[in-house]
Amino acid sequence: MHLITCHHEGRERVGVLYDRNVVLLPPDGWPASMLDLIGAGPAVLDRLRRELPRLAARPDLCRPRDRVELLAPIPRPRKNIVCLGLNYKDHAEESMRAKGLPVELPEYPVVFTKSPTSVTADGAPVPAHAGVTHELDWEVELGVVIGTGGRAIPRARAFEHVFGYTVINDLSARDLQFRHKQWFLGKSLDGFCPMGPALVTTDEIPDPQRLKLFCRVNGVTKQDSSTAQMIFDVATIVETLSRGMTLEPGDVIATGTPAGVGFARQPPEFLKPGDVVECEIENIGVLRNRIV
Ligand code: MG
């Protein structure tokens, strides 16, 4: 299922993309938010899958997709988004070269986070923060959402803990990211984590390491790769993060970006007001935002 969160009559509602419509979960007897749905466990998700055709036949729950105002699938995560840095070989190489450093691939996953307040929706305008940064850059990434929490999750059981996948644009203020040494501030400005449009359940993504992913700026392809190119795959990431830190339902992990980001280009390219960034991942969707 392609699950979405939207604004409907002044309230946040969870829905499912179904044909060309959004089918809203009924207000009574169903989880009221995506975090509640994730926390409710697999039985509720199975029930939703079974009852979807019946719910889709109810006019009070069905809306044309283009008439619905989407929010991010998880509009306000409970915790920071956990992010992998330099997790594609070609991106690690371009980053080192752009900084004049010897090319060295990470021996262990590079982990940083983005603030929950940076999350924004597909279609939402992203502020350029002109007085704060002059080096706004794009990064298409596969987002992984944890379903069943746990600690010390072995690789072989990692996917039992994954609820689904989404598209994330790990927008980055490169000047802030590098000036402040820690990446957190340059990755966390308001609007810097577009997410969506949907959260796709794992049954529709049998192998997350075989997905094509793209980033286009004003229609020009800047990134074109496959999740097969990750240095540390999703199972390894879940194993590594959970070794001593509890993962909880609704935790969001951004798994890193492939080559083609702006700061590593010759000459460097950065986003400016009016630019439209489209991040696309096969079988998940297209995440589109305009810089304003
Ligand atoms: Mg990134």
Side-chain angles (χ1 to χ4, degrees), residues 85 92 96 101 114 135 154 163 195 241 273:
M96 302 297 171
L101 298 171
K114 289 170 90 78
E135 298 187 352
F163 179 87
M195 184 194 300
L241 292 177

Side-chain angles (χ1 to χ4, degrees), residues 133-200:
T133 177
H134 302 289
E135 298 187 352
L136 173 51
D137 204 349
W138 56 84
E139 293 190 356
V140 59
E141 308 203 3
L142 174 69
V144 175
V145 175
I146 296 297
T148 306
R151 202 172 70 168
I153 300 165
R155 259 189 68 83
R157 307 198 70 163
F159 292 111
E160 297 171 26
H161 294 264
V162 174
F163 179 87
Y165 303 96
T166 189
V167 184
I168 286 176
N169 186 357
D170 176 19
L171 286 168
S172 308
R174 299 301 183 193
D175 36 9
L176 298 186
Q177 179 185 350
F178 300 138
R179 181 191 306 159
H180 292 274
K181 307 304 176 197
Q182 300 286 321
W183 298 356
F184 176 67
L185 184 58
K187 296 280 192 172
S188 294
L189 303 190
D190 292 353
F192 268 26
C193 191
M195 184 194 300
L199 171 53
V200 181

Side-chain angles (χ1 to χ4, degrees), residues 182-262:
Q182 300 286 321
W183 298 356
F184 176 67
L185 184 58
K187 296 280 192 172
S188 294
L189 303 190
D190 292 353
F192 268 26
C193 191
M195 184 194 300
L199 171 53
V200 181
T201 49
T202 51
D203 53 308
E204 296 196 18
I205 311 284
D207 185 355
Q209 305 304 150
R210 294 184 57 152
L211 300 171
K212 294 193 175 94
L213 72 173
F214 309 92
C215 179
R216 293 177 291 271
V217 178
N218 302 325
V220 178
T221 299
K222 301 293 185 184
Q223 296 181 283
D224 175 354
S225 188
S226 163
T227 56
Q229 303 301 318
M230 284 183 195
I231 298 172
F232 303 103
D233 62 14
V234 171
T236 302
I237 293 168
V238 169
E239 179 181 72
T240 304
L241 292 177
S242 71
R243 201 162 275 154
M245 176 177 79
T246 300
L247 291 176
E248 297 182 300
D251 283 355
V252 183
I253 302 166
T255 55
T257 202
V261 300

Side-chain angles (χ1 to χ4, degrees), residues 66 68 78 110 187 223 226 241 249 270:
D66 55 11
V68 170
R78 292 196 186 102
V110 174
K187 296 280 192 172
Q223 296 181 283
S226 163
L241 292 177
F270 297 108

